[in-house]
Structures are given as structure tokens and as C-alpha cells.
Amino acid sequence: MSLQLDRRSEELRLRVVRRALRHDSSPKHVAGTATFVDDMREPEGLLHIAVGGAPIAAGQLLGIDLDAVRAAPGVVAVLTAADIPGKNDVGPVLHDDPVFVDGRIEFHGQVAFAVVAKTRGEARRAVTLAKFEVATGTHCVSVDDALAADQHILPDYTFRKDDSAAALAESAYRMKGRLRIGGQEHFYLEGQVSLAIPGEDGDILIHTSTQHPSEMQHLVAHMLNVPVGDVTVEVRRMGGAFGGKETQAAQWAAIAALGARVTGRPCKIRLDRDDDMNLTGKRHDFLADYEVGVDIDGRIQALETVMASRCGYSADVSGAINDRAMFHADNAYYLPAATITTKRMKTNTVSNTAFRGFGGPQGMMVAERAIDEIAWKLNRDPLDIRKRNLYQEGRDVTPYGMFVEDNILLPLIERCEAMSEYRTRRRKIAAFNAESPTLKRGLALTPVKFGISFTTTHLNQAGALVHVYQDGSIHLNHGGTEMGQGLYIKVAQVVAEEFGVDIAHVKITATTTAKVPNTSATAASSGSDINGWAAKNAAGAIKERLVAFAAENWEVTPDQIEFRDNRVFIGNQSVPFAELIRKAYFARVSLSSTGFYKTPKIHWDAAKGRGRPFFYFSYGAACSEVLVDVTTGEMKVQRVDIVHDVGRSLNPAVDKGQIEGGFVQGMGWLTTEELVFHPDGRLLTHAPSTYKIPCSSDVPEHFQVALWDGANREDTIYRSKAVGEPPLMLAISVFAAIADAIHSLDSDKPVPLDAPATPESILRAVQVVTGR
Ligand code: MTE
Ligand code: HPA
Ligand code: MOS
């Protein structure tokens, strides 16, 4: 009780945290004055780099004739594998990502050389003059090709809970199916870009657009064969990243750094959009086979699934991504018995990588399809089947042995059900569909349960650095990067709250390896969780010294000191914050501190497939309605209602933006965004002319987002929850609603809809269901 009262009074005291402060850069974003790497004033003598790539998908590079390239106007240097002083590798986990092709060609366009020239145009023109001599080998493009050829990049991995084969055999009904789940291009507005500036004694400073400055620093140092400390990587902001700059900024940073090393001049590389789409990895597409067994009431008895993914030519972070697909193949549902396998297939395509959700969305698609299969078989409303199978007391352990302790699924879903008027609309839609032969409406309400923490346990650490200057202004730095998600403002709010000052007192500064070392990627949605705590710990250490100083100076006890409203209340008097700082400085109190945080409670035994990989879960539910023309396959999302759990929000405006943006990005993944590869291995959809991301007119007219109001059960920063990735998976409701619309054509048949649900995909499913 008293703990609760404490919490309530702490809540009431909060001044900066919980406020819907605008993104710190939003005026600059709107005015076009926010500085991205390519906007930085160019250093004197800057050279520009363009890259040239292999003309085949697989084989041997026998030689490249670069004479014409070297002789082209403006060319200063040409870089190949032979110029690399250290390792020709930027692989983040395994060492299988060459900077430049050295012998073996692994995918169409794989970078074989780079041209350094006086202008970007000259570099790009010179690249086209290379003559390749190659020996063509055999190649795999799709998951199906790789399965047929038995090409794996990593070994298969399986979670087993109980005897799923026996449980399937004893089930009243068994449904078996196959689901294709498409990949996704990140389509960040700012493409990959790096600017490398050589300094004294072999030092090099790299401005780049990456989620992972420390990893870029390490990989560049290894490539140059210099100590890590010689390389500094700085990131003020990214124009979007979405996972695409977690590992895959490395090649471009390395090439820029090599150019700077070889020429002794600053070098910049900014990929053209087509090059960016052709040369960087995407979300993994999956081919999933599943079988689900249920009792007569539709309660799942067992799930078996084999999910095969297109990893591309190298491992990158495909291992962890496939793991996360497995961690989410249950989504929100209790599986008494399960066998969950992923196959990590090697293909001669770009190396697929992190993308918002990190395999989780693909895993959840399998769970949600299994639920729909049950509803179709039993002729029940899918929402009832969903509710029946939710984790609940006594049925609360995941297939990997983690207990779901913070479950709010049922009340959250019921709030979404009420807000969306699900039952009334279900009846209206049935009536509409009965009268309408070509236009069919569909409705679906799907939940999300997303595990928060890097599943690679050691990555769950963060650092921060806070200085207070003599005038009371505060300098904040931490290892997290800003990609538009609002991390900087959230962490600044935490620091302002700690010192009891307005947000304007806190100077937000660019992430750099020179201030906070050995950081993890800003990823796994954990940016504000871990950097928020690290910054609070740094500010708290300074505050502790200030309290000790004030207690001594004013002869009060520490509990009589409070930092609030830009002042410090000391016993029955108060002084401006800046005055306390000045006094503390003259008393020789240290006004600078680092802070550190590591996530507690988590552990994971990969060999056993058991543990607690996540600190907690974030939850959400979305109800979507679609209108489908079953004669053309065209589709429109008409109404979306979302209830999403962000714990107690650090910043409700930023969180709402993440929910809306994540949902629309997920909608694009599952509806219009289709990656098409030519059988020869070329990506055909490498520009916005053929690759269709959602536009503003695709945002549903009725789009209502409510925040679930409840504190995180775990001791996260101000009891908030991570928000970056989970909302993307709310868009599975759109996919399920499309299947629901098609299902209205024949209620006796399952709907074999594949993602993305493009008009072609919808028509294929319609044809199967109608038998036409
Ligand atoms: N929001 C914007 N605007 N731009 C982005 O690139 N990336 C997403 C998400 N939201 C992204 C975004 C991804 S993939 C992750 S993991 C998180 O933000 C990372 O930031 P966080 O940990 O601070 O939430
Ligand atoms: N999410 C994002 N990036 C990662 C993860 C994860 O779970 N594990 C390793 N890198
Ligand atoms: Mo996000 S896919 O974890 O960068």
C-alpha cells in the first residue's frame, strides 16, 4: 500500500517525463535545416566514391580491366580488395561479408571495386567503364531454390515443447497449410551514406548513417588494420533506418575510410537509390509449413512449423532473426506442445538483415494463420478462437520456457473489441457481403505480444555521459542513435526530470564512439529502455554529489533537498539550479559523470532452447476492416482501431507516432510491397517506380490509436515500455481481414492467401476458394 502511495506521489511530481513534447528536431525536419551526412558542409578537397559490381549472381571473378576507369575524367583512385591493409570483411557476426569481391562472386551486383573521383558524377560515370572477366557458376535465388539445392547459411534450429507429434495425433481436428511471407525493402528516406575524414597519426573520423556506431568503428579498424581507438564514428541522426542500418552501413563506411586512407583526403560515398536497393539486405522472406491440432472447442493442442527463410549470401544477423521468428511463432497463444524449426537458407542475393520486428513479424504470421485455419474449420468467429487460446493463468509458459508474467492480453483485446464495435460491425459486414457479389468486406482483430530485449543477452547494455557546465547547462550524450523514433528527446526528458529543470536546459548531442564506447546497436526497440536508464544513472551520480554538497553547505539533511522547477529547494529556502552548480564548482565538486545500465533478469541457453530471453513483453491489438474487389483483387483499408501498450509513456506524442508509423509500414509489407527477383538473380524492383511503399492516401480514413494505460510490471525507466517495433505487427490484422473478406466467398474453404496481399495474390486466393 505504502509502495503504491509512493509511486502515486512520484507520478504527481513528474514535470518533464510523460509530457507530449515534440521531437527535438521536428522544426528542423520541417524547415529542411536538420543536418544529415550529405548536408554537412563539405571539407576542403573532398572526393566522391561510386561502386561497381559483378555482372553475374554466382561464380568466379577472374579479373577486371580497370584501365579505362582509371583514365576517366576526374578519377583519383580505384579501390579493390588488393588495397585493403587489414581484413577484407565487414561481417558483423561471422566473417563472411567481403568489402570487395575477392575471387568468389555471391550475388548480382556484389561490389568488386570503387572509384574515387573529384565529383560524384565523374565517379559514377567511370564505374561503367570496367570490363569483367568471370566464370559463371550455379546459383539459388529463392527459398525454394535453396531448399532444392540444400544450401544453408547456418544450421537448422528447433524449439521443442512436449511431444507435438503425439498431441497432433490425438487432436480432434488437424489443419495443415503453407504460407509465403514476403520480404521488405527498408526504404529509409536517407540512403546509405558515409563521410570519412583523415586526421593526424592515422586517425580517421567517420560521419555515417548507422544504428551501430561502435560496430562500424570496430569493423573499419579491422579493415584498416589499426587499433579501434584510431577510428571515431559519429552519428547525429539518420533519415530513417528501420534495421537496415544496424549492420549494413558497414560496407560503405569501410569504403569511405579506405578511400580516405589511400588518397589522404576526405571521401564521401552516398549510394544512389537503385544501388541502395540492389546492394543492401532486406527483411527475410519466409516459406512456412505448419500443422495445428485442436480439440473440439478450438483449443490448440499442438503446433508444428518449419519456417525457411531467404538469408542471402552471408550470415549477417540472420541467426538472431530466425531465432526471433521462433520466439514469436506462438504470438499471444498458449501452445501445450510445439515443434518450431527454422531453416536459414543461403541464396545468391543480397544478405538479408534486420527489419523492424527482426523476424518476429514473420513468426507471428504463422500463429495468426493457424488461428484463422481453426476458425475456418470450426466455423467460428476468429476473434473467439483467438481469445480462447490466449496465454492465461496456468497456461502461461512459452515454448521456450519463459513465463508470461505481465499478461494483459484479454483486457487489452476487449478494449479494442469495444472501441472498434467489433460485434456490431461483424453483423453488418455479413449482411453487406450477402448482398454484394464483387465487393467484399473483411474484418479482423489480431493481438501482438512482442518480447523486449536483444535475444543476444550481452547486447543488453548501454552507457551515457552527462556534463553540467558552470552556468547550469547540461550536455547529454549516450550510446543510442536517433533515426526519427524520438529516442533523443525521450532520454533528454529523463535527464531534465532528474535535475528538475526544463527540457531546454538539456543539450542533445550527436552519438559518438569518442564519448560513449562499446555500445550496442540502437535496435530491438530497447533504445529508450537501456539508454534512458544509463542517462538517469549518469545524471543521478552528479545529483548525488550535488545533494551531498548542498546538505553540507546549507547544513540540512539530504531528504530536505529537492530539485524542481529549475530550482533546488534546500530546507526552507531555494536557489536557482545554476546557482547551486556555480557554488558546487567553486567547492570543487565533479560535475560530470558516466552512467551504465544492463538489463536484469534475462538469460538464454541456446543449446537447450530454454530461458528468459526477454525482460518483458509489449502488447497491442488492432482491428482492421478492408474492402476487397474479388474480381480485380484491389483492396482498401477502411478502418483501423488500435489499443497499444507502452507502459507508462515517457512521451505519448512520440509513442503515438511510432504506433501509427509502425502500423502503416507493416501494412505496406503485407499488401503492396513486393520484391521481385529475376531468375538470373537481379532484383527487378529496385526503385519506387516498381516497389510500392504506402503513401498518405493509403492511411485509413478512420485511424484511431489509444494507449493502454498501465505501468510496466518490471522496473524499466519510469515504468515505460519499448514501442519501436511492436506496432508493425498490428498490421497483421489487415492481412487477416483480407483473408476474411475472401472467406466470405465460401465459408467451407480455408483461404490460402500469401503475403504480400497484392491484387495478384488476392486473385490467386480467390481462384482457389471459388474453384474458378
Ligand atoms: N522510427 C523511425 N521514425 N525511423 C526508424 O528508422 N526504426 C524502428 C523503430 N522506429 C525506426 C523507427 C526500429 S527497427 C527500431 S529497433 C526502433 O525504432 C529503434 O529505436 P528505439 O529502440 O529507440 O525504439
Ligand atoms: N533485435 C535486433 N537486433 C538484434 C537482436 C534483436 O533481438 N539480436 C541481435 N541483434
Ligand atoms: Mo530494429 S529491426 O531492431 O533495428
Side-chain angles (χ1 to χ4, degrees):
M1 188 64 201
S2 85
L3 191 73
Q4 259 181 19
L5 278 177
D6 275 1
R7 282 220 190 111
R8 206 167 307 154
S9 63
E10 194 204 349
E11 277 298 314
L12 290 174
R13 278 202 305 272
L14 296 177
R15 293 287 196 281
V16 191
V17 158
R18 312 257 185 272
R19 285 184 49 201
L21 299 183
R22 70 178 180 206
H23 191 290
D24 47 289
S25 291
S26 59
K28 287 182 280 184
H29 289 158
V30 173
T33 55
T35 306
F36 298 86
V37 173
D38 203 40
D39 301 316
M40 296 177 71
R41 193 173 297 279
E42 295 189 342
E44 208 217 308
L46 177 71
L47 299 172
H48 299 264
I49 301 183
V51 291
I56 55 168
Q60 287 294 317
L61 178 59
L62 304 174
I64 324 176
D65 179 352
L66 293 165
D67 289 350
V69 180
R70 287 184 219 279
V75 172
V76 175
V78 179
L79 310 172
T80 67
D83 296 296
I84 294 176
K87 290 201 184 91
N88 179 17
D89 174 59
V90 285
V93 182
L94 305 186
H95 300 292
D96 57 350
D97 283 301
V99 179
F100 295 119
V101 172
D102 195 5
R104 204 151 55 129
I105 295 168
E106 297 272 25
F107 72 94
H108 205 290
Q110 185 176 15
V111 176
F113 68 97
V115 177
V116 188
K118 289 187 183 133
T119 69
R120 190 165 175 266
E122 285 169 334
R124 280 166 58 76
R125 276 189 290 279
V127 154
T128 61
L129 304 174
K131 292 193 193 78
F132 282 88
E133 194 190 335
V134 296
T136 305
T138 57
H139 65 267
C140 295
V141 176
S142 63
V143 172
D144 307 65
D145 293 349
L147 285 169
D150 207 20
Q151 295 282 335
H152 302 252
I153 199 83
L154 291 164
D156 297 354
Y157 186 37
T158 300
F159 291 164
R160 275 192 189 85
K161 184 183 174 201
D162 241 313
D163 187 344
S164 59
L168 276 179
E170 286 163 19
S171 295
Y173 304 101
R174 294 168 71 163
M175 281 73 67
K176 212 173 162 155
R178 171 170 263 205
L179 174 63
R180 286 181 189 275
I181 306 159
Q184 188 176 22
E185 157 63 33
H186 299 85
F187 222 103
Y188 24 62
L189 286 183
E190 176 207 35
Q192 304 278 356
V193 57
S194 276
L195 166 63
I197 304 168
E200 288 185 5
D201 302 327
D203 289 355
I204 193 151
L205 168 64
I206 302 172
H207 294 276
T208 181
S209 186
T210 181
Q211 296 168 249
H212 203 342
S214 287
E215 187 168 276
M216 301 308 114
Q217 178 196 26
H218 297 162
L219 292 171
V220 167
H222 292 153
M223 186 273 306
L224 290 178
N225 196 24
V226 299
V228 170
D230 286 8
V231 180
T232 299
V233 173
E234 181 169 320
V235 184
R236 172 57 185 86
R237 60 169 65 78
M238 286 162 272
F242 308 111
K245 296 168 179 172
E246 181 172 338
T247 64
Q248 300 217 356
Q251 190 173 11
W252 325 112
I255 290 172
L258 184 64
R261 170 54 44 91
V262 166
T263 63
R265 288 166 67 173
C267 286
K268 181 159 77 174
I269 181 167
R270 172 171 62 81
L271 292 188
D272 169 79
R273 178 64 65 178
D274 300 80
D275 286 347
D276 197 305
M277 293 179 77
N278 280 318
L279 302 180
T280 67
K282 300 153 201 332
R283 183 188 293 287
H284 294 60
D285 53 311
F286 275 72
L287 174 62
D289 288 302
Y290 57 86
E291 182 164 9
V292 61
V294 295
D295 66 12
I296 50 166
D297 297 320
R299 257 189 216 93
I300 298 174
Q301 303 303 301
L303 176 74
E304 289 187 352
T305 180
V306 177
M307 303 180 275
S309 65
R310 169 156 41 189
C311 296
Y313 79 92
S314 73
D316 190 79
V317 281
S318 291
I321 288 167
N322 278 268
D323 291 355
R324 197 174 265 277
M326 297 163 69
F327 285 122
H328 292 88
D330 59 341
N331 191 15
Y333 312 112
Y334 175 64
L335 306 176
T339 304
I340 297 165
T341 298
T342 45
K343 291 181 168 290
R344 298 111 193 258
M345 308 314 294
K346 177 177 172 168
T347 52
N348 295 100
T349 51
V350 284
S351 190
N352 283 336
T353 193
F355 196 137
R356 208 170 193 170
F358 203 76
Q362 296 93 319
M364 275 182 206
M365 282 286 283
V366 174
E368 294 305 332
R369 166 55 57 86
I371 292 277
D372 280 342
E373 288 270 10
I374 301 165
W376 295 330
K377 181 78 181 176
L378 271 60
N379 212 354
R380 296 292 304 266
D381 189 311
L383 180 56
D384 294 330
I385 300 298
R386 291 195 157 86
K387 284 172 148 183
R388 182 154 298 172
N389 282 289
L390 293 177
Y391 282 106
Q392 53 192 267
E393 225 174 287
R395 292 161 50 91
D396 55 0
V397 61
T398 63
Y400 48 91
M402 176 171 169
F403 284 87
V404 185
E405 296 174 340
D406 53 8
N407 187 356
I408 50 168
L409 282 161
L410 189 61
L412 187 142
I413 287 170
E414 284 180 342
R415 187 158 161 221
C416 185
E417 183 179 339
M419 182 170 129
S420 63
E421 305 164 285
Y422 180 89
R423 303 288 169 180
T424 330
R425 283 163 66 209
R426 172 59 77 200
R427 282 192 295 275
K428 283 190 190 153
I429 287 170
F432 173 90
N433 286 344
E435 299 289 310
S436 172
T438 55
L439 293 181
K440 298 287 183 187
R441 287 156 72 182
L443 184 71
L445 193 162
T446 60
V448 167
K449 162 182 138 287
F450 192 77
I452 302 301
S453 290
F454 287 93
T455 57
T456 310
T457 304
H458 77 267
L459 296 177
N460 295 285
Q461 57 172 308
L465 177 66
V466 173
H467 306 318
V468 184
Y469 296 106
Q470 289 175 47
D471 66 348
S473 58
I474 298 162
H475 177 108
L476 166 62
N477 199 269
H478 53 79
T481 56
E482 177 65 44
M483 58 196 94
Q485 86 279 37
L487 175 65
Y488 278 8
I489 186 70
K490 285 184 176 183
V491 180
Q493 284 174 269
V494 168
V495 169
E497 190 69 58
E498 189 68 11
F499 286 119
V501 297
D502 294 338
I503 194 76
H505 278 68
V506 181
K507 169 64 76 186
I508 290 171
T509 64
T511 312
T512 165
T513 55
K515 286 185 188 170
V516 178
N518 308 322
T519 56
S520 295
T522 307
S525 303
S526 63
S528 54
D529 278 9
I530 62 177
N531 293 287
W533 256 126
K536 189 171 195 292
N537 289 338
I542 300 171
K543 185 171 161 183
E544 221 169 85
R545 293 177 211 143
L546 291 171
V547 167
F549 162 69
E552 196 186 318
N553 193 62
W554 277 274
E555 296 181 344
V556 297
T557 54
D559 62 315
Q560 289 174 284
I561 298 168
E562 198 190 341
F563 290 66
R564 164 163 60 83
D565 302 333
N566 303 315
R567 299 185 73 81
V568 185
F569 294 80
I570 308 162
N572 48 17
Q573 52 179 316
S574 79
V575 295
F577 178 73
E579 194 181 319
L580 175 73
I581 295 300
R582 211 159 21 244
K583 285 196 158 74
Y585 165 74
F586 281 111
R588 296 185 292 172
V589 175
S590 164
L591 297 172
S592 173
S593 179
T594 58
F596 186 77
Y597 176 75
K598 57 178 184 180
T599 311
K601 294 190 178 179
I602 49 176
H603 53 91
W604 177 244
D605 183 339
K608 294 203 181 87
R610 285 287 178 285
R612 176 180 180 162
F614 305 119
F615 189 24
Y616 63 89
F617 293 102
S618 286
Y619 299 95
C623 179
S624 295
E625 181 179 334
V626 299
L627 184 65
V628 177
D629 182 330
V630 293
T631 60
T632 64
E634 287 166 292
M635 185 279 303
K636 177 108 186 118
V637 182
Q638 298 200 297
R639 174 172 170 176
V640 175
D641 296 271
I642 291 171
V643 181
H644 197 77
D645 162 37
V646 294
R648 289 229 192 286
S649 177
L650 289 172
N651 183 324
V654 165
D655 285 353
K656 214 169 156 215
Q658 285 291 294
I659 296 166
E660 292 170 352
F663 180 88
V664 172
Q665 190 167 43
M667 204 177 83
W669 167 50
L670 292 173
T671 58
T672 58
E673 296 182 42
E674 187 175 30
L675 291 163
V676 181
F677 287 87
H678 189 279
D680 73 6
R682 277 176 305 138
L683 177 65
L684 294 173
T685 50
H686 53 77
S689 51
T690 45
Y691 186 78
K692 296 298 177 187
I693 62 170
C695 51
S696 54
S697 58
D698 293 315
V699 174
E701 211 162 291
H702 175 115
F703 191 20
Q704 198 181 347
V705 175
L707 299 183
W708 175 260
D709 187 26
N712 195 333
R713 186 178 188 275
E714 300 297 344
D715 190 15
T716 49
I717 188 77
Y718 289 101
R719 299 277 164 178
S720 61
K721 281 194 179 184
V723 68
E725 296 165 285
L728 181 130
M729 288 150 269
L730 296 169
I732 295 173
S733 59
V734 171
F735 186 76
I738 296 168
D740 182 62
I742 299 170
H743 187 64
S744 71
L745 290 167
D746 183 346
S747 64
D748 287 335
K749 298 233 182 78
V751 182
L753 182 66
D754 286 324
T758 57
E760 292 86 347
S761 169
I762 290 173
L763 281 184
R764 275 193 297 271
V766 166
Q767 277 162 1
V768 173
V769 168
T770 58
R772 268 178 251 130

